[in-house]
Amino acid sequence: MFKRLFRKKSVDQILYDSEHGEGTGLAKVLGVRDLVSLGIAAIVGAGIFSTIGLASYEGGPAVSLLFIFTAIACVFTALAYAQFASTVPVSGSAYTYAYVAFGELFAWIIGWALVLEYAVSNTVIAISWSQYFVSMLEGFGIQIPAWLSMAPGYALDAAQKLSEKGADSLTAIDKHGLEAYLNAPRIGGIPIIFDLPAGIITVLVTALVYIGIKESQRASTIMVMIKVGIILAVIFGGIFYIKPENWTPFAPNGMHGVMGSVAAVFFAFIGFDSISTTAEECKDPQRDLPKAMIWCLVICTILYVAITLVLTGMVNYTELNVKDPLAFVFKYVGFDYMAGIISITSVIAITSALLVYQLAQPRIWMTMSRDGLMSKRFARVHPKYKTPSYATIVTGIVVGIPSLFFKMDFFVDLTSVGTFFAFIMVCAGVLYMDFSGLSQKSKFKVPYVNGKYLVGLGLLVTIVLMLIYGQSILLEWKSLPFMEIIKHKVLIIVFWLTWLGLSIYSFKMNFSLLPVTGILINLYLMTELGASNWIIFIIWLIGGLVIYFLYGYKHSKLNRDSMSSSL
């Protein structure tokens, strides 16, 4: 059984299945520009139009440096994705890559984690879209009833806060929730409250994705042009309102404040890998996917850093804890006309991100179904539209229903944990490809820099710098009881032990430095998300393993093939 859990698929077998198995016949219509457009559509979405404000509020202008640091982590990961995509140009993304490198069990775990990255994060995006849409309509004098535009949890929390702490304790958001609670229609005394706009946009985008990849790409391109244009307008228009004194102090809350924004900043980058799920719809995936991923990251990083510096230069960072920071800063300086344009553009921007994620998730499920780990229905390709029809509909349901009823807060950090996990596995997969010789089949390779001595040297230098400049951190550790260290610092311990292990193996096996660096940076960023998110993520993985052992293990195509060969 142990061998079956880690059985691997060869590259040749995966390519054969993609051409002759279930779920074949996808239309090959995408080129480099199409892929770059889809990538920018995925990355420049809810992050830059909402979470960038929270990040700036917590870390000050120095958050611009965190965007660069996070982008570097993504570049190392993008290079790893690009090598896999040039070697295994199919729609499974990190799931397929894990199947080649680590075997079936790890492939399932990664596939299950990708549900968090695409389907669950799309719930966040749909809810965020609803908030901007309602706000935009209010600007035109159109009011949607509060009970039709929010999750019931917000209204129930507001009612509870009123009963426990009184009316004086209610914030503006609480009052809006209370309005929904008081005015909502009731069935059997239970208030009927749901987020209708979030559900509607999910249905509309799912319908577009169902109709076809080219139609989706055209719509995405138009939306990308509009939102990049408005972001450039914010940057160049905002320059004239910058007050350099707002950049002082540059890091008001120190490194703790900057790194505390990791989840918000990383959420702004999630999505560059989603274009790898369209590999079977690319004209030349082995050439075009690597180029597109790198271009996406370069363009979006420049936009993020520039807009962070403009926002924190126009307005003091303490004012930026708002859900619509780009519109807010222009209202703050009295340029209401520009603020209105940005509000409308925000709706378009978030719609394009929603569209790309709705493209990605069905293609992951289609590939898993092709391998027998999910029902055959997920591999159905529509005879007319050439899209994974059943999987697309299920994705719409999985995203649409939670967006109607769930609060957004729960999903943001959880999405980041799942994505970091997938990124680490892809970087580690490149090390396996180098070790096993699979890299010889790659048309694009991560540039090789021998890490034999550099990985261990980096560890020693970091320890020395910590002893010299990190006395406050060491004192904090010394003051904590052993159980408190285990409870709150276990992820940091895992990070240092991983670095030590990679140093040893790099010395023995001449590991490539860039994938190792990608593993370490992603793992370090994960430690900043907190142990509670890890606990939820582990529970999520356990649920996925239950599904695998009840269905996937038995119906796996590799399992059927091995049983047939043994007869």
Side-chain angles (χ1 to χ4, degrees), residues 2 4 13 57 62 93 115 136 154 163 187 219 283 320 389 399 416 423 425 446 450 472 498-499 515 556 561:
F2 183 81
R4 290 182 179 179
Q13 184 178 6
Y57 171 77
S93 185
V115 176
M136 181 191 72
Y154 293 116
S163 64
I187 298 178
K283 297 174 184 176
L320 287 173
S389 51
V399 173
S416 297
F423 283 7
M425 294 302 293
V446 177
N450 194 336
S472 59
T498 302
W499 197 342
S556 165
D561 291 347

Side-chain angles (χ1 to χ4, degrees), residues 30 34 37 44 67 90-91 99 116 137 151 154 161 198 218 220 225-226 274 335 368 394 478 486 520 542 560:
L30 302 179
D34 300 323
S37 175
V44 182
F67 275 108
V90 297
S91 294
Y99 220 143
L116 282 179
L137 291 183
Y154 293 116
K161 189 174 182 179
R218 286 171 183 162
S220 174
M225 292 172 64
I226 293 172
S274 62
F335 199 171
M368 296 174 75
V394 173
K478 290 178 181 178
I486 296 298
L520 292 174
I542 291 173
R560 296 198 303 268

Side-chain angles (χ1 to χ4, degrees), residues 472-482 484-485 489:
S472 59
I473 298 175
L474 296 175
L475 289 174
E476 179 190 354
W477 277 70
K478 290 178 181 178
S479 65
L480 291 174
F482 177 76
E484 286 294 308
I485 291 176
K489 303 292 186 180

Side-chain angles (χ1 to χ4, degrees), residues 367-388:
T367 309
M368 296 174 75
S369 172
R370 186 185 289 159
D371 293 330
L373 303 186
M374 299 185 72
S375 168
K376 287 184 178 180
R377 287 175 289 185
F378 284 91
R380 290 178 185 168
V381 172
H382 195 281
K384 178 180 178 182
Y385 300 128
K386 305 300 181 183
T387 58

Side-chain angles (χ1 to χ4, degrees), residues 25 60 194 281 304 316 344 376 403 424 457 476 478 506 530:
F194 56 96
E281 290 145 294
Y304 282 171
N316 189 277
I344 297 172
K376 287 184 178 180
S403 68
I424 289 172
L457 181 62
E476 179 190 354
K478 290 178 181 178
S506 295

